[in-house]
Amino acid sequence: MGKFSSLEELRPSPMLVCTLVLVSYFFVTAGVAYDIINEPPAVGATTDPVTGAVKPMTFMPYRLNGQFILEGISGGFFYTLGGVGIILLDLSRDKNKSTLFRNFFMGMGFFLTLLSWAACMTFIRIKMPGYMR
Amino acid sequence: MSSEAHYSSGASLLETVKRYLTKTKSQELLIRSTTLISIYLLAFCVRLFSVLRYESVIHEFDPYFNYRSTIKLVTEGFYEFWNWFDAESWHPLGRVVGGTVYPGLMWTAAILYKVSSFLTACIKLRDICVFTAPFFAGNTAMVAYLFGKELKDTETGLVAAALMAVVPGYISRSVAGSFDNEAVAIFALTTTFYLWVCAVNRGTVASGVFAAFAYLYMAASWGAYVFISNLIPLYIIIMFVIGRYSRRIYVAYTTFWTVGGILAMQIRFIGFNHVLSNELLSWNAVFAALQVWELIVFLRAKLGDRKFGQLAYLLALGAVGVGAGAVVILIASGKLNPWTGRFWTLLDPTYAKKFIPIVASVSEHQPTTWASYIFDLHVLVFAAPAGLYFCFKKLTDGTIFLTVFALTAIYFSGIMVRLMLVAAPAFVLLSAISISSTLASASRELRLHAAASEAAKSAPAAEAAAAAAAPAKKRAASKRAAAGSDGEPLPSRPVSNWAVLGLTALALMGYAGHCIWVTSEAYSSPSIVLISGWGPHRHVLDDFREAYYWLRHNTKPDAKIMSWWDYGYQITAMGNRTVIVDNNTWNNTHIATVGRAMASNETEAYKIMRQLDVDYALVIFGGMSGYSSDDINKFLWMVRIGGGVYPDHIKESNYLNNGDYTVSDRGTPTMLNSLMYKLSYYDFGNIMTEHNKGTGYDRVRGYEIGKKDVTLEHLDEAFTSEHWIVRIYKVKDLENRF
């Protein structure tokens, strides 16, 4: 405490707190609590009916209330990435930055948002074949 | 001109309407009210799928108890309900309903019923109960509009109301027929938070009192009122730590604590717990701390010392830290065990699994997987983190409260699937802020560009004349527009802004489509009636009501029914008979006794059933119809709960073959001789259920059962429903020995 002249300097900046919050959002939506309690394997396994070989299965099928660890992490990752995309769209409106930055942020924002949305839709269709039918 | 006695304006109706419609303010009012009315109607109608597909019937298990209580309240009066001792459940113990129930929902339904009768609308009480939830869902959407307006602006409020109307996380517990606490509790929660933010922004005693009355409604409706009682003190601590504490917060919280606390204590279930319980420790401690802090500030003002402020801040922080540390040490060393098991699970998720199997067995208490988030929230999972960013970008008292609420709600929703319901309003409000901000900035750029290009159209003529006088910005903007947007950054060009608007429109349309699909397919099943297929192939399995009405008409009035606790409320409400255990699960030993009876062999079970005065045993069996939530699938919980209280009689290892429960020929003898096995599979070994399988093929488990010739010694089969889903057995009297 000695090198701070006042307590205000200890206070973290809002954007640092926001980053920490986004990291915690990733962990919660990845289903970490489910992983800790139920301890599922990282990936599942199916046996091929014809050859008898064991293939890895990434998504636990037909149930919304079960997941494998990697499946949860990929889902949570894309949720956070989509959020970052929308944030980038807003960061591109800052008139004080250079044009290059603003164009880059806007392009990346569109790309990340669309990518996350497409990925999550694909995942949910793999997991639940009856989705939207 | 005209010599008529009265004044008449020369304008016709059409002209008056046109005159009003061309004003921007009335246009805006018209758009806003039309949108809100449509949102209300949408919120009501999207929840009506099960009523339209089948009939207006109450769903699930808990709502049947609430319905029975509302009947008692309406027919016998307020004091009979307030002091009600129910002898028809938990035989022979009974249940003090007046002191162990949250009466808010019953009062709401009774008031709606009385009001509609007074207005001679004469709606049946059952229909009032069925439609309470959609009615309050519409109200919640309206409160979300007000909350968004308070947090940011009217546009955010409109987006929040629209998102709240159809968010599946909320719909799942508030469809028509789901007459449960959450139907009114989420409305109370959102209203309390909205009024609290109003109180903090205004800092008057009156706004604090309004918030306190909303808190009373929440405390009367749902046990999760402790979420509010802990969230608001947490918010005050955070505001203090980040240096935004103000006199308004002091006034708001002091009024809220006193008035809200006294009002909440009027509920019999809460009573003095509100000041004595450790679940409300922070609620009371923060109040005391605030008074101490204001006292110190007052002293400093009198003493007039500048340094005094900093020292006092340090002292306050240190006292809070020492106090929190002491509480943690006391809890860790076991001297202070503050929270009931249900809430302790929220802080330590593995607690219930180790110590309280009943809490762990409820399917709604399981932790959440990643898929539940996108299923229950769709685009809101993407827009919510962006909303958090917008809240942090421009910190106001209201947005800080929303951030604290959202972070705690999202964390708890990860622990327990049921709490996704509490997180849904947080997601909705955050997403409303981000969507509204994105739309606002895009449309602002478009409007600037349109204004600039209009100026550019008249630029060649006016530029020469106005070049000297026009401000530099406008000239540069018109030059940019005239130059055809070559050197412009992407975000200012109209094409990218139209792309943003288009993307948002597509996202919201996808959201609406997803929500309606989810409501229709996943959340509208009246689980009392099983419906499969559609159109000409629709199959309705009404076995539950068939069996309960058989009980009602064919057994003596004081018959006692033993079943697993899931079905207790439905049996008392529809069968009108006394049950041994029901969904209230307040007595673990009693439930363990029933579990032990189901898991023991027939002779042991008969002794327990004679002790408990049981006349009929009821089991749910899905092997014939394929209904998978039957008692054989729940059997492991009967063994675990029974074994938890009677470890000498029930050992889980006796039922396991290679670590799993099986009723095939690999099943252990204890399993194949248990009462549950016998009652489920009596006479089933002679039935052929599928074409090329043998007799006794269980459609749920997917194999043939182990023991096909089941004989019963002390029970008689009394009734089996049409698709064998409900099976009722009569307990035989003692033998005549002479």
Side-chain angles (χ1 to χ4, degrees), chain B residues 303-334:
Chain B
L303 298 176
D305 194 356
R306 248 180 7 139
K307 291 280 185 196
F308 190 84
Q310 273 186 335
L311 178 66
Y313 177 64
L314 270 175
L315 275 178
L317 218 55
V320 164
V322 163
V327 168
V328 164
I329 292 176
L330 282 174
I331 294 175
S333 66

Side-chain angles (χ1 to χ4, degrees), chain B residues 467-641:
Chain B
K473 234 194 207 168
K474 206 164 167 196
R475 226 180 354 169
S478 64
K479 268 219 181 97
R480 256 194 287 146
S485 63
D486 262 342
E488 259 186 314
L490 256 183
S492 306
R493 290 197 216 159
V495 63
S496 41
N497 288 310
W498 280 115
V500 168
L501 290 183
L503 185 70
T504 317
L506 281 177
L508 289 177
M509 286 197 293
Y511 170 71
H514 167 93
C515 294
I516 308 244
W517 181 86
V518 162
T519 313
S520 159
E521 295 302 315
Y523 289 139
S524 293
S525 75
S527 41
I528 186 94
V529 175
L530 307 168
I531 307 181
S532 62
W534 50 281
H537 312 286
R538 203 170 91 142
H539 228 72
V540 174
L541 282 76
D542 211 355
D543 287 41
F544 287 100
R545 297 197 297 175
E546 181 192 347
Y548 298 143
Y549 283 119
W550 182 90
L551 270 182
R552 194 189 190 110
H553 294 302
N554 292 296
T555 56
K556 57 185 177 37
D558 59 349
K560 323 272 186 299
I561 319 288
M562 180 177 90
S563 71
W564 192 232
W565 59 263
D566 286 10
Y567 317 107
Y569 281 156
Q570 284 182 340
I571 297 176
T572 7
M574 279 190 273
N576 202 24
R577 295 288 177 265
T578 311
V579 289
I580 305 292
V581 288
D582 71 14
N583 309 56
N584 191 32
T585 64
W586 68 271
N587 190 328
N588 194 40
T589 314
H590 217 52
I591 294 183
T593 313
V594 170
R596 179 182 155 196
M598 293 294 193
S600 322
N601 60 43
E602 199 184 342
T603 319
E604 287 296 316
Y606 184 62
K607 285 190 209 143
I608 300 178
M609 288 199 283
R610 290 293 308 175
Q611 266 182 348
L612 291 173
D613 255 358
V614 175
D615 295 304
Y616 291 89
L618 186 148
V619 294
I620 305 292
F621 172 60
M624 168 80 116
S625 54
Y627 178 60
S628 58
S629 316
D630 64 352
D631 281 354
I632 294 279
N633 275 353
K634 294 181 188 164
F635 189 59
L636 73 97
W637 294 110
M638 298 185 201
V639 169
R640 281 195 193 152
I641 297 176

Side-chain angles (χ1 to χ4, degrees), chain B residues 102 218 222-230 269 273 277-280 337-352 356 359 365 411-412 415-416 418-419 422:
Chain B
Y102 286 105
M218 180 71 184
W222 201 20
Y225 75 92
V226 292
F227 179 62
I228 301 187
S229 335
N230 285 297
F269 197 10
N273 272 345
S277 158
N278 288 308
E279 279 164 4
L280 285 127
N337 191 7
W339 290 35
T340 57
R342 221 168 27 142
F343 297 117
W344 193 240
T345 315
L346 291 175
L347 295 177
D348 174 15
T350 56
Y351 180 78
I356 328 176
V359 169
H365 291 177
Y411 169 68
F412 289 139
I415 308 277
M416 240 192 227
R418 185 183 188 187
L419 294 180
V422 174

Side-chain angles (χ1 to χ4, degrees), chain B residues 336-397:
Chain B
L336 196 72
N337 191 7
W339 290 35
T340 57
R342 221 168 27 142
F343 297 117
W344 193 240
T345 315
L346 291 175
L347 295 177
D348 174 15
T350 56
Y351 180 78
K353 188 171 156 206
K354 283 183 275 186
F355 297 113
I356 328 176
I358 270 203
V359 169
S361 74
V362 181
S363 67
E364 306 164 316
H365 291 177
Q366 303 310 313
T368 329
T369 58
W370 75 275
S372 306
Y373 282 99
I374 192 137
F375 195 72
D376 272 344
L377 299 163
H378 207 243
V379 286
L380 303 188
V381 287
F382 301 124
L388 281 169
Y389 159 78
F390 281 107
C391 282
F392 275 105
K393 195 166 140 182
K394 197 170 88 147
L395 289 175
T396 67
D397 291 348

Side-chain angles (χ1 to χ4, degrees), chain B residues 250-270:
Chain B
Y250 174 65
V251 171
Y253 188 64
T254 311
T255 323
F256 189 65
W257 185 91
T258 36
V259 181
I262 292 184
L263 287 175
M265 285 202 271
Q266 304 310 306
I267 310 292
R268 272 185 73 188
F269 197 10
I270 301 179

